[in-house]
Amino acid sequence: AQKITQTQPGMFVQEKEAVTLDCTYDTSDPSYGLFWYKQPSSGEMIFLIYQGSYDQQNATEGRYSLNFQKARKSANLVISASQLGDSAMYFCAMREGVQTGANNLFFGTGTRLTVIP
Amino acid sequence: NAGVMQNPRHLVRRRGQEARLRCSPMKGHSHVYWYRQLPEEGLKFMVYLQKENIIDESGMPKERFSAEFPKEGPSILRIQQVVRGDSAAYFCASSTGLAGSNTQYFGPGTRLTVL
């Protein structure tokens, strides 16, 4: 089974509107972390936001927020007030074994977001 | 603070040659990870290293690929006798290795093209 599933290959959003990018995950580890990264056309991977499995509140970073629904195993990224510069690929990723320290990330296949002026 | 540095940014090799990719982690980070990204796909984990130690190489092909992170200098990902299927973007990430978020910060990647 895929550890991270992103079901939206592409999404469009009007500038200044909000958009939700979906991510579901699969793990039996009680301690895990969820990450979102942005990959613009220039190719670099930019860290956006992190949610720990034991965090009581949804993570927020500026215009980014993470809608964490543990029972559904979903960690959707919400971008508010979209800007043209938000056009990029967005990847959801998971790290298991958070309590034990460093581990590799499992990535989804990504969602390409296009912001329309 | 300088971010994760990778060089070269672009590398072209002919089949059978060796490719050597370098990664310098962020200041204060002692853990390095290498990932490979094929076109239109997500990143796939290859190897995780600390200084002078390979911690997890479960994602790295058993043949032709090797990685090191010496006491001094950058981490090196080496691909011997490259084939066309090795063409991809190779990303390095670094982290503090501490429990908790232990966020991995990525370099700009090296785009390898095998002719």
Side-chain angles (χ1 to χ4, degrees), chain A:
Chain A
Q2 293 288 333
K3 285 196 179 282
I4 293 287
T5 302
Q6 295 181 253
T7 57
Q8 307 155 313
M11 289 283 286
F12 291 87
V13 64
Q14 204 74 39
E15 193 178 5
K16 300 180 184 176
E17 297 293 314
V19 63
T20 298
L21 307 183
D22 294 342
C23 173
T24 58
Y25 59 92
D26 182 28
T27 182
S28 57
D29 194 322
S31 177
Y32 53 89
L34 297 155
F35 302 79
W36 277 91
Y37 288 87
K38 172 184 178 181
Q39 187 176 43
S41 57
S42 51
E44 70 268 34
M45 293 287 289
I46 302 167
F47 166 69
L48 295 178
I49 195 166
Y50 166 80
Q51 179 85 44
S53 59
Y54 294 120
D55 292 345
Q56 296 296 314
Q57 293 187 325
N58 287 346
T60 61
E61 288 287 348
R63 293 186 300 111
Y64 304 109
S65 60
L66 205 150
N67 184 2
F68 182 45
Q69 299 190 40
K70 199 168 181 177
R72 293 186 175 184
K73 292 191 173 180
S74 74
N76 299 339
L77 177 70
V78 180
I79 305 175
S80 62
S82 297
Q83 302 172 356
L84 295 178
D86 294 334
S87 294
M89 281 290 284
Y90 288 81
F91 290 98
C92 180
M94 177 176 66
R95 183 166 69 88
E96 296 171 312
V98 166
Q99 296 298 327
T100 59
N103 272 307
N104 57 290
L105 294 172
F106 297 94
F107 281 83
T109 51
T111 295
R112 184 174 299 279
L113 176 67
T114 302
V115 180
I116 304 167

Side-chain angles (χ1 to χ4, degrees), chain B residues 15-48:
Chain B
R15 281 179 296 168
Q17 291 184 320
E18 178 179 286
R20 192 171 293 205
L21 288 60
R22 295 175 187 77
C23 169
S24 296
M26 281 180 70
K27 187 176 181 180
H29 288 188
S30 58
H31 295 238
V32 166
Y33 312 78
W34 286 93
Y35 293 82
R36 177 164 63 177
Q37 184 181 31
L38 295 172
E40 303 302 318
E41 293 188 10
L43 278 66
K44 296 284 196 302
F45 167 74
M46 298 181 74
V47 62
Y48 158 42

Side-chain angles (χ1 to χ4, degrees), chain B residues 80-92:
Chain B
Q80 296 177 304
Q81 298 173 353
V82 295
V83 300
R84 289 222 173 102
D86 297 333
S87 294
Y90 292 83
F91 286 92
C92 168

